[in-house]
């Protein structure tokens, strides 16, 4: 018995270390190839740098996102851009073959999402809020909400084993007020990786240097050389924290919050597991650092 107790006592530090250093699996499910990058890219880099696993999923192939290109040709170009962005972020990037602008909250799409979340053995699932301006974003939010809880039900999509534990489901930040404004529960300072985020996002050339400037009527402002393009993109895609986000940052970082130039914020969805502050610190090991 004494020997047994001795062996157990030797194992305790190892078990504690394993508990603290376990790999965290994060999956973000966005509507288009570039949404995960924009909303979660900085935090994703921080997770990847710490050795955790991050996957970006785009529910559509982006084949409507251009002013003079479309269909399969554009879908292939956007798939290649997403793969390149994934490499630069240090994450896996999956693009589903649904048409851009036509995503529907069908049972088929819900089951695809359930399988993706299970195969990734996700601890954290991130998506859009379902009151976003874009129908593809809204329906992606609905589909992911419909997967919250059902990912643990063995008789739903029985070909992939259910998760043992319901993940924490989070929404990314947006500006929409009705029926409720976004509420930052978790906010991450991304200043140390902001330049890398911009570099990784710049892989989506068809979007940030062609389509989006065209939609805002200033395509003629896009510079030609790479260095100037990165500055152009950084100037347009700042993620300056607002008052509410600064308050949230103070909770997690203390005084350091007031120096933050760029942050990404997340709201906890009611349908997944409800983490307390202690668990949030384990799931987001970059908080406070
Ligand atoms: Zn989008």
């Amino acid at each position: 018995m004494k020997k047994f107790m001795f062996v157990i006592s030797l194992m305790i530090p190892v078990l504690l270390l394993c508990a603290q250093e376990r790999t965290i699996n994060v999956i973000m499910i966005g509507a288009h190839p570039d949404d995960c990058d924009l909303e979660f890219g900085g935090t994703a880099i921080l997770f990847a740098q710490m050795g955790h696993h991050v996957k970006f999923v785009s529910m559509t192939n982006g084949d409507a996102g251009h002013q003079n290109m479309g269909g399969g040709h554009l879908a292939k170009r956007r798939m290649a851009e997403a793969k390149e962005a994934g490499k630069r972020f240090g994450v896996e990037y999956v693009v589903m073959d649904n048409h851009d602008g036509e995503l529907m909250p069908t049972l088929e799409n819900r089951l695809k999402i359930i399988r993706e979340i299970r195969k990734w053995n996700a601890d954290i699932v991130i998506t859009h809020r379902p009151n976003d301006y874009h129908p593809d974003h809204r329906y992606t939010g609905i589909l992911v909400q419909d997967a919250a809880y059902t990912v643990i039900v063995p008789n739903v999509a029985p070909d992939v084993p259910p998760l043992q534990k319901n993940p924490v489901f989070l929404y990314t930040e947006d500006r929409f007020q009705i029926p409720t404004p976004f509420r930052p529960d978790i906010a991450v300072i991304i200043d140390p990786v902001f330049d890398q985020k911009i570099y990784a996002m710049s892989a989506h050339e068809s979007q940030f240097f062609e389509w989006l400037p065209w939609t805002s009527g200033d395509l003629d402002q896009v510079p030609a050389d790479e260095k100037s393009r990165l500055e152009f993109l950084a100037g347009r895609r700042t993620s300056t924290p607002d008052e509410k986000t600064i308050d949230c940052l103070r909770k997690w970082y203390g005084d350091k919050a007031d120096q933050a130039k760029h942050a990404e914020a997340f709201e906890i969805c009611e349908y997944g597991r409800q983490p307390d502050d202690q668990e949030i610190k384990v799931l987001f090991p970059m908080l406070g650092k």
Side-chain angles (χ1 to χ4, degrees):
M1 188 62 185
K2 255 188 180 168
K3 196 176 170 192
F4 175 74
M5 293 303 286
F6 177 68
V7 171
I8 291 290
S9 70
L10 281 182
M11 282 172 66
I12 287 171
V14 177
L15 290 172
L16 279 175
L17 196 70
C18 292
Q20 284 166 1
E21 295 191 353
R22 74 181 176 92
T23 303
I24 296 156
N25 299 320
V26 192
I27 188 167
M28 173 155 176
I29 300 167
H32 307 110
D34 72 359
D35 285 328
C36 298
D37 320 49
L38 275 163
E39 309 297 340
F40 172 56
T43 311
I45 293 169
L46 292 169
F47 270 118
Q49 283 179 348
M50 296 173 106
H52 302 294
H53 296 166
V54 182
K55 188 172 195 172
F56 288 178
V57 177
S58 171
M59 286 304 295
T60 72
N61 60 18
D63 61 357
H66 207 273
Q67 68 276 29
N68 49 27
M69 196 188 253
H73 187 50
L74 179 58
K76 276 188 192 162
R77 183 178 178 200
R78 297 200 63 183
M79 174 88 75
E81 289 174 344
K83 293 286 173 204
E84 176 58 27
K87 273 189 220 157
R88 297 182 188 185
F89 279 109
V91 310
E92 201 171 303
Y93 212 129
V94 166
V95 178
M96 289 200 186
D97 197 23
N98 293 306
H99 289 304
D100 188 351
E102 299 181 9
L103 186 70
M104 294 298 289
T106 61
L107 177 59
E108 188 193 7
N109 282 329
R110 188 200 303 169
L111 293 173
K112 279 185 193 167
I113 285 178
I114 290 169
R115 291 186 178 104
E116 283 289 341
I117 294 170
R118 286 178 177 172
K119 285 181 188 162
W120 200 245
N121 194 18
D123 300 293
I124 303 169
V125 182
I126 306 174
T127 192
H128 308 287
R129 291 201 307 155
N131 58 321
D132 197 284
Y133 81 106
H134 196 299
D136 291 344
H137 293 196
R138 280 203 298 279
Y139 294 140
T140 298
I142 294 284
L143 284 161
V144 175
Q145 278 185 184
D146 289 351
Y149 171 66
T150 41
V151 290
I152 63 163
V153 179
N155 281 333
V156 174
D159 54 317
V160 183
L163 294 182
Q164 301 296 314
K165 214 164 123 180
N166 204 13
V168 171
F169 285 75
L170 303 174
Y171 299 117
T172 55
E173 185 170 3
D174 61 56
R175 63 182 187 279
F176 305 105
Q177 303 293 309
I178 298 170
T180 51
F182 174 80
R183 180 196 69 224
D185 293 319
I186 301 167
V188 177
I189 296 175
I190 61 160
D191 291 345
V193 294
F194 180 72
D195 289 346
Q196 191 184 338
K197 177 182 177 181
I198 293 296
Y199 170 65
M201 284 187 356
S202 74
H204 298 279
E205 286 188 13
S206 68
Q207 302 305 292
F208 295 118
F209 307 124
E210 296 173 25
W211 168 238
L212 295 169
W214 184 85
T215 60
S216 52
D218 51 9
L219 193 55
D220 56 342
Q221 307 288 312
V222 180
D225 69 284
E226 195 191 344
K227 187 170 172 285
S228 310
R229 281 185 174 217
L230 292 175
E231 286 165 6
F232 168 83
L233 189 55
R236 293 191 158 210
R237 297 291 169 176
T238 52
S239 33
T240 314
D242 62 11
E243 261 319 300
K244 277 196 303 183
T245 302
I246 291 171
D247 278 347
C248 179
L249 286 170
R250 281 195 194 110
K251 172 177 174 179
W252 299 108
Y253 290 86
D255 293 344
K256 200 180 165 191
D258 296 290
Q259 272 88 57
K261 289 197 183 77
H262 303 284
E264 290 171 347
F266 308 94
E267 177 178 329
I268 298 169
C269 162
E270 294 178 285
Y271 305 155
R273 196 168 74 257
Q274 300 298 291
D276 59 19
D277 288 356
Q278 204 48 43
E279 188 181 4
I280 290 171
K281 282 184 192 160
V282 173
L283 289 174
F284 283 79
M286 70 289 287
L287 287 176
K289 295 192 174 121

